[in-house]
Amino acid sequence: MSNFTIWALCALLFSTVRGFSHEDMKDALLKKLDLKELPKIQKRDLENLVIPTHIKNKYLSMLMLHNKRRRRSLPSLAGILRGIPGNADISGEVMYSDTTRQRLVFDMEARIPDNSEVTMAELKLFKKAPRKLPVPEKRKHRPANNARVSIYWVEVLENGSNRTSLVDSRLVPIVETGWKSFDVSQAVQYWSKAQRKTPLYLEVWIEGERPGSYAAEMAKCVHFATQDPADKTLHGKPELVLYTLNLEEYGSRGDCEPNKANDVCCREEYFINFRELTWTQYWIIEPAGYQAFRCAGGCKQPKRNYSYGERTCAVVESAPLPMMYLVKRGDYTEIEVAEFPNMIVEKCGCTMDNISIV
């Protein structure tokens, strides 16, 4: 795709007054991928689908960069981010555990205060020292000093089956011990929009830092306290830490007040669930959905506009979103990863003829 085409796409999205609608998103994805129509992806195309390691690593790199950008855009932690009053940590339970997989469950009932917004969520797991010394390295093997620990949100479907979505992944040193934190903000977002009446389910996967049997064997030395049923200490429980923004006390970074009519230009929540849209449920693998936001409210009009046109509430800052998706190449289905620009509304403002004046 040429630089001019990307620029034209960006200009198109910035000129959208209310933000990103489903049709806007569809058009943007097709233009980014240089497609004239939606790919004909069926459920059977997902059967026996294996995500290549290099594709997964590329998506993980984009996801980590995306999470860093999002954390930088949060309000100052001084006085604004705070744990849930009374008990910042929500203790979870372990439903299932073996050497490489864990299923965790958290009771979220009444955990998020009214008129508040979850700005960040962390899963904390206590890593124990290796039970045994790592197997001696052989000269033919490259050293393997880390294991890759990935966190997945588990969506429980109506038919009783499960579907997972990757929310964080990082390398954990094999010999270190202590608390390890993982960013599960996306998982809490998914849960709050899709399954708020049910518990929050997370899966922990422990894998080798690279392909190969030696790295996989070394990864088995990583052991969390949650994998030990006999551990009755506080370390033996998974902890979920929620940080919330009190909207009544602090406002919301130019965001609209929830459940109120907003006459002034502001940014309101607008969650796009890829798993519920018929044209994305099989096409887009990751993420399961995301908080796109959109602009709402009006702008005061000058008594004389000097033919500049009407001031409107529009997107003035936006952010990209990394995505993993399927592409059809003849009879074959392949997996690709790309970062799509202007998918998330960062800031709304009053513009005149699409020229920001905030």
Side-chain angles (χ1 to χ4, degrees):
M1 176 175 281
S2 68
N3 289 335
F4 175 78
T5 305
I6 294 176
W7 176 88
L9 174 59
C10 293
L12 169 66
L13 299 184
F14 268 103
S15 66
T16 304
V17 172
R18 295 297 176 187
F20 223 25
S21 69
H22 290 169
E23 287 302 315
D24 293 330
M25 181 174 62
K26 186 187 298 184
D27 292 341
L29 293 178
L30 292 177
K31 288 186 178 182
K32 169 75 175 180
L33 300 175
D34 197 23
L35 297 174
K36 294 182 179 179
E37 61 181 12
L38 294 172
K40 293 179 173 59
I41 305 291
Q42 306 295 327
K43 187 176 182 179
R44 62 176 177 269
D45 293 318
L46 298 177
E47 295 177 357
N48 302 319
L49 186 70
V50 177
I51 301 175
T53 301
H54 72 282
I55 292 291
K56 183 178 179 180
N57 290 341
K58 184 178 179 181
Y59 178 74
L60 290 175
S61 297
M62 289 183 175
L63 183 63
M64 285 188 284
L65 181 60
H66 170 72
N67 287 338
K68 285 181 181 178
R69 282 195 299 253
R70 182 178 54 79
R71 283 194 289 268
R72 284 199 299 267
S73 69
L74 293 174
S76 169
L77 293 178
I80 295 183
L81 286 180
R82 57 178 173 81
I84 300 295
N87 184 9
D89 294 351
I90 303 173
S91 293
E93 299 294 335
V94 180
M95 296 180 62
Y96 167 81
S97 178
D98 61 23
T99 55
T100 59
R101 297 284 190 275
Q102 294 183 71
R103 172 74 65 87
L104 312 177
V105 58
F106 295 89
D107 181 4
M108 302 290 284
E109 185 176 358
R111 293 293 188 174
I112 302 176
D114 294 335
N115 199 28
S116 65
E117 173 188 342
V118 176
T119 54
M120 190 162 61
E122 289 183 327
L123 172 67
K124 296 176 65 178
L125 301 173
F126 188 84
K127 183 184 174 301
K128 290 188 168 184
R131 290 180 175 177
K132 58 181 180 179
L133 293 176
V135 295
E137 294 183 8
K138 299 179 181 179
R139 290 186 177 181
K140 64 178 181 179
H141 293 303
R142 288 168 50 199
N145 301 316
N146 305 287
R148 179 163 292 283
V149 180
S150 301
I151 311 297
Y152 291 81
W153 171 62
V154 182
E155 179 184 11
V156 181
L157 304 180
E158 292 182 358
N159 62 8
S161 62
N162 298 325
R163 186 159 53 180
T164 59
S165 184
L166 178 67
V167 294
D168 196 15
S169 181
R170 59 191 61 193
L171 294 176
V172 173
I174 291 173
V175 297
E176 281 188 6
T177 184
W179 288 100
K180 302 298 177 184
S181 297
F182 302 88
D183 188 338
V184 293
S185 305
Q186 276 191 321
V188 175
Q189 276 190 358
Y190 298 156
W191 167 84
S192 66
K193 299 302 177 183
Q195 298 184 318
R196 192 159 183 146
K197 294 182 180 179
T198 64
L200 172 69
Y201 297 97
L202 298 174
E203 276 191 0
V204 182
W205 293 19
I206 304 172
E207 302 168 296
E209 64 177 322
R210 62 176 181 272
S213 59
Y214 178 71
E217 190 65 27
M218 291 292 289
K220 292 179 182 178
C221 297
V222 170
H223 187 75
F224 291 105
T226 48
Q227 294 172 276
D228 187 357
D231 192 333
K232 303 301 182 183
T233 68
L234 292 177
H235 293 167
K237 294 277 190 179
E239 300 287 344
L240 182 67
V241 184
L242 300 182
Y243 298 91
T244 61
L245 186 68
N246 185 330
L247 301 182
E248 289 183 352
E249 186 177 355
Y250 292 102
S252 186
R253 311 189 306 277
D255 289 353
C256 305
E257 294 188 45
N259 305 319
K260 290 185 180 180
N262 294 281
D263 297 328
V264 179
C265 180
C266 57
R267 187 185 73 157
E268 69 177 4
E269 291 190 353
Y270 179 54
F271 188 82
I272 294 178
N273 190 332
F274 289 138
R275 302 282 167 80
E276 291 184 351
L277 295 176
T278 55
W279 59 275
T280 61
Q281 60 179 333
Y282 303 130
W283 181 23
I284 297 176
I285 302 175
E286 299 285 358
Y290 77 105
Q291 190 65 260
F293 296 102
R294 61 185 174 189
C295 299
C299 299
K300 292 183 179 180
Q301 304 300 321
K303 294 180 180 179
R304 297 178 63 183
N305 62 18
Y306 302 99
S307 300
Y308 286 125
E310 183 180 5
R311 296 178 71 212
T312 56
C313 182
V315 181
V316 295
E317 289 184 18
S318 65
L321 178 73
M323 296 170 64
M324 184 188 297
Y325 53 93
L326 293 178
V327 292
K328 278 278 196 178
R329 302 195 190 283
D331 295 332
Y332 295 95
T333 303
E334 296 182 358
I335 305 173
E336 291 190 357
V337 172
E339 192 171 65
F340 290 79
N342 302 310
M343 295 287 282
I344 304 169
V345 176
E346 290 285 302
K347 185 178 180 181
C348 300
C350 293
T351 66
M352 188 175 291
D353 279 350
N354 300 321
I355 300 174
S356 175
I357 53 175
V358 295

mmCIF file with all atom_site columns, all heavy atoms in Angstrom, residues 38 60-61 101 118 137 140 252 266 295 308:
data_model
loop_
_atom_site.group_PDB
_atom_site.id
_atom_site.type_symbol
_atom_site.label_atom_id
_atom_site.label_alt_id
_atom_site.label_comp_id
_atom_site.label_asym_id
_atom_site.label_entity_id
_atom_site.label_seq_id
_atom_site.pdbx_PDB_ins_code
_atom_site.Cartn_x
_atom_site.Cartn_y
_atom_site.Cartn_z
_atom_site.occupancy
_atom_site.B_iso_or_equiv
_atom_site.pdbx_formal_charge
_atom_site.auth_seq_id
_atom_site.auth_comp_id
_atom_site.auth_asym_id
_atom_site.auth_atom_id
_atom_site.pdbx_PDB_model_num
ATOM 1  N N   . LEU A 1 38  ? -15.196 -8.330  1.151  1.00 0.00 ? 38  LEU A N   1
ATOM 2  C CA  . LEU A 1 38  ? -14.813 -9.111  2.315  1.00 0.00 ? 38  LEU A CA  1
ATOM 3  C C   . LEU A 1 38  ? -14.403 -10.521 1.908  1.00 0.00 ? 38  LEU A C   1
ATOM 4  O O   . LEU A 1 38  ? -15.026 -11.119 1.027  1.00 0.00 ? 38  LEU A O   1
ATOM 5  C CB  . LEU A 1 38  ? -15.998 -9.201  3.290  1.00 0.00 ? 38  LEU A CB  1
ATOM 6  C CG  . LEU A 1 38  ? -16.442 -7.902  3.951  1.00 0.00 ? 38  LEU A CG  1
ATOM 7  C CD1 . LEU A 1 38  ? -17.744 -8.126  4.713  1.00 0.00 ? 38  LEU A CD1 1
ATOM 8  C CD2 . LEU A 1 38  ? -15.371 -7.377  4.883  1.00 0.00 ? 38  LEU A CD2 1
ATOM 9  N N   . LEU A 1 60  ? 2.517   -10.457 19.196 1.00 0.00 ? 60  LEU A N   1
ATOM 10 C CA  . LEU A 1 60  ? 2.869   -10.156 20.580 1.00 0.00 ? 60  LEU A CA  1
ATOM 11 C C   . LEU A 1 60  ? 3.680   -8.873  20.676 1.00 0.00 ? 60  LEU A C   1
ATOM 12 O O   . LEU A 1 60  ? 3.473   -8.062  21.583 1.00 0.00 ? 60  LEU A O   1
ATOM 13 C CB  . LEU A 1 60  ? 3.665   -11.319 21.182 1.00 0.00 ? 60  LEU A CB  1
ATOM 14 C CG  . LEU A 1 60  ? 2.888   -12.619 21.441 1.00 0.00 ? 60  LEU A CG  1
ATOM 15 C CD1 . LEU A 1 60  ? 3.835   -13.712 21.917 1.00 0.00 ? 60  LEU A CD1 1
ATOM 16 C CD2 . LEU A 1 60  ? 1.783   -12.385 22.444 1.00 0.00 ? 60  LEU A CD2 1
ATOM 17 N N   . SER A 1 61  ? 4.612   -8.672  19.743 1.00 0.00 ? 61  SER A N   1
ATOM 18 C CA  . SER A 1 61  ? 5.421   -7.441  19.748 1.00 0.00 ? 61  SER A CA  1
ATOM 19 C C   . SER A 1 61  ? 4.537   -6.221  19.551 1.00 0.00 ? 61  SER A C   1
ATOM 20 O O   . SER A 1 61  ? 4.696   -5.204  20.247 1.00 0.00 ? 61  SER A O   1
ATOM 21 C CB  . SER A 1 61  ? 6.480   -7.504  18.640 1.00 0.00 ? 61  SER A CB  1
ATOM 22 O OG  . SER A 1 61  ? 7.386   -8.564  18.863 1.00 0.00 ? 61  SER A OG  1
ATOM 23 N N   . ARG A 1 101 ? -0.342  -25.388 31.798 1.00 0.00 ? 101 ARG A N   1
ATOM 24 C CA  . ARG A 1 101 ? -1.620  -24.676 31.653 1.00 0.00 ? 101 ARG A CA  1
ATOM 25 C C   . ARG A 1 101 ? -2.267  -24.489 33.013 1.00 0.00 ? 101 ARG A C   1
ATOM 26 O O   . ARG A 1 101 ? -2.188  -25.350 33.889 1.00 0.00 ? 101 ARG A O   1
ATOM 27 C CB  . ARG A 1 101 ? -2.595  -25.457 30.755 1.00 0.00 ? 101 ARG A CB  1
ATOM 28 C CG  . ARG A 1 101 ? -2.141  -25.645 29.320 1.00 0.00 ? 101 ARG A CG  1
ATOM 29 C CD  . ARG A 1 101 ? -2.301  -24.365 28.509 1.00 0.00 ? 101 ARG A CD  1
ATOM 30 N NE  . ARG A 1 101 ? -2.094  -24.620 27.093 1.00 0.00 ? 101 ARG A NE  1
ATOM 31 C CZ  . ARG A 1 101 ? -0.912  -24.631 26.493 1.00 0.00 ? 101 ARG A CZ  1
ATOM 32 N NH1 . ARG A 1 101 ? 0.192   -24.426 27.216 1.00 0.00 ? 101 ARG A NH1 1
ATOM 33 N NH2 . ARG A 1 101 ? -0.804  -24.846 25.198 1.00 0.00 ? 101 ARG A NH2 1
ATOM 34 N N   . VAL A 1 118 ? -12.622 1.281   34.711 1.00 0.00 ? 118 VAL A N   1
ATOM 35 C CA  . VAL A 1 118 ? -11.398 0.501   34.919 1.00 0.00 ? 118 VAL A CA  1
ATOM 36 C C   . VAL A 1 118 ? -10.362 0.963   33.903 1.00 0.00 ? 118 VAL A C   1
ATOM 37 O O   . VAL A 1 118 ? -10.546 0.818   32.701 1.00 0.00 ? 118 VAL A O   1
ATOM 38 C CB  . VAL A 1 118 ? -11.658 -1.010  34.770 1.00 0.00 ? 118 VAL A CB  1
ATOM 39 C CG1 . VAL A 1 118 ? -10.346 -1.788  34.898 1.00 0.00 ? 118 VAL A CG1 1
ATOM 40 C CG2 . VAL A 1 118 ? -12.647 -1.489  35.832 1.00 0.00 ? 118 VAL A CG2 1
ATOM 41 N N   . GLU A 1 137 ? 22.919  -27.894 30.161 1.00 0.00 ? 137 GLU A N   1
ATOM 42 C CA  . GLU A 1 137 ? 22.897  -27.484 28.763 1.00 0.00 ? 137 GLU A CA  1
ATOM 43 C C   . GLU A 1 137 ? 23.864  -28.333 27.945 1.00 0.00 ? 137 GLU A C   1
ATOM 44 O O   . GLU A 1 137 ? 24.955  -28.662 28.387 1.00 0.00 ? 137 GLU A O   1
ATOM 45 C CB  . GLU A 1 137 ? 23.276  -26.007 28.641 1.00 0.00 ? 137 GLU A CB  1
ATOM 46 C CG  . GLU A 1 137 ? 22.265  -25.074 29.263 1.00 0.00 ? 137 GLU A CG  1
ATOM 47 C CD  . GLU A 1 137 ? 22.666  -23.618 29.055 1.00 0.00 ? 137 GLU A CD  1
ATOM 48 O OE1 . GLU A 1 137 ? 23.636  -23.386 28.310 1.00 0.00 ? 137 GLU A OE1 1
ATOM 49 O OE2 . GLU A 1 137 ? 22.031  -22.740 29.646 1.00 0.00 ? 137 GLU A OE2 1
ATOM 50 N N   . LYS A 1 140 ? 25.080  -28.484 21.797 1.00 0.00 ? 140 LYS A N   1
ATOM 51 C CA  . LYS A 1 140 ? 24.324  -28.301 20.555 1.00 0.00 ? 140 LYS A CA  1
ATOM 52 C C   . LYS A 1 140 ? 23.088  -27.436 20.751 1.00 0.00 ? 140 LYS A C   1
ATOM 53 O O   . LYS A 1 140 ? 22.429  -27.058 19.791 1.00 0.00 ? 140 LYS A O   1
ATOM 54 C CB  . LYS A 1 140 ? 23.921  -29.652 19.985 1.00 0.00 ? 140 LYS A CB  1
ATOM 55 C CG  . LYS A 1 140 ? 22.964  -30.446 20.851 1.00 0.00 ? 140 LYS A CG  1
ATOM 56 C CD  . LYS A 1 140 ? 22.596  -31.765 20.170 1.00 0.00 ? 140 LYS A CD  1
ATOM 57 C CE  . LYS A 1 140 ? 21.604  -32.556 21.040 1.00 0.00 ? 140 LYS A CE  1
ATOM 58 N NZ  . LYS A 1 140 ? 21.230  -33.827 20.374 1.00 0.00 ? 140 LYS A NZ  1
ATOM 59 N N   . SER A 1 252 ? -13.163 12.554  33.259 1.00 0.00 ? 252 SER A N   1
ATOM 60 C CA  . SER A 1 252 ? -12.643 11.384  32.561 1.00 0.00 ? 252 SER A CA  1
ATOM 61 C C   . SER A 1 252 ? -11.885 11.749  31.307 1.00 0.00 ? 252 SER A C   1
ATOM 62 O O   . SER A 1 252 ? -12.200 11.312  30.219 1.00 0.00 ? 252 SER A O   1
ATOM 63 C CB  . SER A 1 252 ? -13.795 10.430  32.229 1.00 0.00 ? 252 SER A CB  1
ATOM 64 O OG  . SER A 1 252 ? -13.311 9.245   31.677 1.00 0.00 ? 252 SER A OG  1
ATOM 65 N N   . CYS A 1 266 ? -17.597 15.469  23.604 1.00 0.00 ? 266 CYS A N   1
ATOM 66 C CA  . CYS A 1 266 ? -16.846 14.601  24.498 1.00 0.00 ? 266 CYS A CA  1
ATOM 67 C C   . CYS A 1 266 ? -16.666 13.242  23.836 1.00 0.00 ? 266 CYS A C   1
ATOM 68 O O   . CYS A 1 266 ? -17.244 12.952  22.786 1.00 0.00 ? 266 CYS A O   1
ATOM 69 C CB  . CYS A 1 266 ? -17.550 14.449  25.857 1.00 0.00 ? 266 CYS A CB  1
ATOM 70 S SG  . CYS A 1 266 ? -19.243 13.819  25.732 1.00 0.00 ? 266 CYS A SG  1
ATOM 71 N N   . CYS A 1 295 ? -17.048 10.028  19.224 1.00 0.00 ? 295 CYS A N   1
ATOM 72 C CA  . CYS A 1 295 ? -17.307 11.399  19.652 1.00 0.00 ? 295 CYS A CA  1
ATOM 73 C C   . CYS A 1 295 ? -18.807 11.661  19.702 1.00 0.00 ? 295 CYS A C   1
ATOM 74 O O   . CYS A 1 295 ? -19.562 11.201  18.836 1.00 0.00 ? 295 CYS A O   1
ATOM 75 C CB  . CYS A 1 295 ? -16.627 12.392  18.717 1.00 0.00 ? 295 CYS A CB  1
ATOM 76 S SG  . CYS A 1 295 ? -14.822 12.210  18.677 1.00 0.00 ? 295 CYS A SG  1
ATOM 77 N N   . TYR A 1 308 ? -16.771 29.595  7.142  1.00 0.00 ? 308 TYR A N   1
ATOM 78 C CA  . TYR A 1 308 ? -15.931 28.442  7.445  1.00 0.00 ? 308 TYR A CA  1
ATOM 79 C C   . TYR A 1 308 ? -16.755 27.163  7.633  1.00 0.00 ? 308 TYR A C   1
ATOM 80 O O   . TYR A 1 308 ? -16.221 26.081  7.670  1.00 0.00 ? 308 TYR A O   1
ATOM 81 C CB  . TYR A 1 308 ? -15.110 28.684  8.718  1.00 0.00 ? 308 TYR A CB  1
ATOM 82 C CG  . TYR A 1 308 ? -13.965 29.644  8.521  1.00 0.00 ? 308 TYR A CG  1
ATOM 83 C CD1 . TYR A 1 308 ? -13.835 30.773  9.317  1.00 0.00 ? 308 TYR A CD1 1
ATOM 84 C CD2 . TYR A 1 308 ? -13.007 29.416  7.537  1.00 0.00 ? 308 TYR A CD2 1
ATOM 85 C CE1 . TYR A 1 308 ? -12.785 31.650  9.138  1.00 0.00 ? 308 TYR A CE1 1
ATOM 86 C CE2 . TYR A 1 308 ? -11.956 30.296  7.359  1.00 0.00 ? 308 TYR A CE2 1
ATOM 87 C CZ  . TYR A 1 308 ? -11.848 31.415  8.158  1.00 0.00 ? 308 TYR A CZ  1
ATOM 88 O OH  . TYR A 1 308 ? -10.813 32.286  7.979  1.00 0.00 ? 308 TYR A OH  1
#
